[in-house]
Amino acid sequence: MTSTSAVPSALASYGWDDDWADTFAPYAADGLLPGRVVRVDRGQCDVVTADGVIRADTAFVTPHDPLRVVCTGDWVAVDPAGTPRYVRAYLPRRTAFVRSTSSKRSDGQILAANVDHAVIAVSLAVELDLGRIERFLALAWESGAAPVVVLTKADLVPDPATLAHLVHDVETSAPGVPVLTVSAHDGDGLDVLTAVLGTGTSVLLGQSGAGKSTLANALKGEDVLTVQAARDVDGKGRHTTTTRNLLALPGGGVLIDTPGLRGVGLYDADTGVGQVFSEIEELAEGCRFHDCAHEAEPGCAVLAALDSGDLPARRLDSYRKLKRENQWIVAKTDARVRAELRRDWKRKGAEGRAAVEAKRKGWR
Ligand code: GDP
Ligand code: ZN
């Protein structure tokens, strides 16, 4: 009889909790070690365990399926014996960031797993692009993470009234989403952000130049990212560097920061788009026709709100644009591949349940 031991404190700072421990119990019974993936690199990954960071091979976990490869943020079961060490399985993901690849077959690519907060960094140094913010919000909601918009470089907008206007504009484009302002230069707002990110796992999203690296360094209290960039340039010591894409923050919480997460496209994010435009989806429930396209139909509540000025035209345009874009991505994706993915998930799920059941019986 093996019972789950108390949460190892070394892993607690990486987000390990009782629920993960419960899920992990059958693997623990097999003598496997729990750990969280801090970095993935061509078939290998670095896993932080209660005994420190170990390098493990991911070949055991089906590598041909782009959504089933091990990614940063995954909780995995590592076989501590043997050379190389192997990741035997990853635990079911609570949330996952998936983006469309630019390849012809528009398969999704998994970027990060088990993320609780998606920080969308938006620079106040340039004109606000609300459409871009909405796109990031859709991606965040779709992943299962809760978005937070962080307006960076607030020191460049010294007039409080102007700043309040900008915050208000973003808030109307982000219903139900906290909007914070920070300045990494003078430290304003960093305490609030640190508190928001103090529990759970976060990622930083946003356009290049939005201030993500600066923000990450301020949160970490060190220049980890710059150091990493410098090492990547000379290409040396690839297998000896200890840089991580996932870090426990000094103020609590975990930060995942991978370059791949920074430029994003939607991937089957229909639910996410709906959440970004929740006020439009609510209005649509009042349309006379169930399948109203809000184009010219009689009794359309969305068009009525547009006419009365309750709904800004920009919001409706943006909604339509993201909906269209998403439909295009879904249509482009090979239907056969998608069907296979679903079948594979179902089969693996059934196998997993059977294995757990068999173990349970063995314990009694
Ligand atoms: P990233 O591409 O999103 O990682 O953006 P960076 O962190 O590299 O920042 C882009 C530029 O914005 C750099 O020149 C930073 O010095 C500048 N920057 C970042 N944060 C602030 C800030 O709080 N205030 C001001 N004035 N500039 C900032
Ligand atoms: Zn309608």
Side-chain angles (χ1 to χ4, degrees):
M1 171 88 202
T2 311
S3 70
T4 313
S5 58
V7 174
S9 58
L11 285 183
S13 60
Y14 285 92
W16 185 250
D17 58 27
D18 289 340
D19 286 341
W20 288 123
D22 283 348
T23 315
F24 194 79
Y27 299 107
D30 279 348
L32 302 177
L33 281 181
R36 195 164 192 195
V37 176
V38 296
R39 186 180 141 95
V40 179
D41 179 23
R42 286 174 298 171
Q44 300 262 297
C45 63
D46 291 335
V47 180
V48 61
T49 71
D51 301 332
V53 177
I54 62 175
R55 186 145 259 248
D57 195 297
T58 61
F60 211 83
V61 186
T62 53
H64 354 272
D65 180 339
L67 294 184
R68 291 186 53 87
V69 296
V70 169
C71 73
T72 303
D74 267 327
W75 284 100
V76 293
V78 183
D79 190 344
T83 316
R85 292 172 173 126
Y86 282 102
V87 171
R88 290 288 157 177
Y90 62 82
L91 301 188
R93 293 162 178 153
R94 289 181 188 168
T95 68
F97 268 90
V98 176
R99 78 158 171 207
S100 56
T101 55
S102 47
S103 68
K104 253 193 184 151
R105 270 179 52 201
S106 181
D107 294 344
Q109 180 192 3
I110 184 125
L111 298 172
N114 304 314
V115 176
D116 303 293
H117 313 286
V119 177
I120 299 160
V122 178
S123 169
L124 286 170
V126 292
E127 204 184 327
L128 286 179
D129 183 342
L130 298 177
R132 180 180 291 127
I133 297 174
E134 286 158 343
R135 172 189 308 271
F136 279 115
L137 285 169
L139 186 96
W141 281 123
E142 187 68 26
S143 77
V148 184
V149 176
V150 175
L151 304 178
T152 63
K153 315 187 195 182
D155 53 288
L156 299 180
V157 187
D159 175 38
T162 309
L163 189 60
H165 269 296
L166 294 169
V167 169
H168 178 76
D169 278 355
V170 175
E171 279 172 345
T172 55
S173 302
V177 177
V179 179
L180 311 177
T181 59
V182 302
S183 165
H185 274 199
D186 55 27
D188 282 0
L190 281 176
D191 50 347
V192 178
L193 183 60
T194 302
V196 170
L197 308 188
T199 55
T201 300
S202 308
V203 295
L204 287 171
L205 307 175
Q207 220 196 352
S208 174
K212 296 178 298 297
S213 306
T214 310
L215 211 50
N217 289 336
L219 291 166
K220 292 169 190 167
E222 49 180 326
D223 281 341
V224 178
L225 289 184
T226 325
V227 172
Q228 178 173 345
R231 281 201 194 135
D232 278 355
V233 169
D234 67 23
K236 282 182 205 151
R238 222 169 228 295
H239 297 283
T240 54
T241 120
T242 55
T243 54
R244 301 176 187 186
N245 294 325
L246 180 150
L247 281 176
L249 295 173
V254 174
L255 181 68
I256 291 181
D257 194 11
T258 68
L261 256 172
R262 293 178 163 202
V264 282
L266 293 179
Y267 175 75
D268 197 359
D270 200 54
T271 315
V273 173
Q275 277 169 288
V276 180
F277 298 92
S278 54
E279 87 277 31
I280 297 180
E281 302 240 313
E282 267 165 40
L283 282 169
E285 299 198 346
C287 293
R288 185 179 305 162
F289 300 111
H290 172 67
D291 59 350
C292 183
H294 327 305
E295 301 284 357
E297 289 88 345
C300 173
V302 174
L303 293 178
L306 193 67
D307 284 344
S308 73
D310 285 347
L311 177 66
R314 193 205 63 77
R315 279 288 275 177
L316 185 57
D317 288 347
S318 192
Y319 175 69
R320 286 180 169 147
K321 191 160 162 266
L322 284 178
K323 277 276 189 191
R324 264 200 309 273
E325 181 181 327
N326 191 60
Q327 276 158 11
W328 181 77
I329 289 163
V330 171
K332 195 168 70 136
T333 309
D334 189 321
R336 185 185 53 81
V337 172
R338 289 166 61 81
E340 272 173 18
L341 272 178
R342 272 196 294 275
R343 219 179 306 129
D344 196 40
W345 276 329
K346 278 191 190 145
R347 186 174 57 78
K348 287 272 159 39
E351 278 173 10
R353 283 191 295 278
V356 169
E357 196 46 41
K359 285 243 165 58
R360 288 240 170 80
K361 285 190 182 125
W363 295 338
R364 280 186 204 125

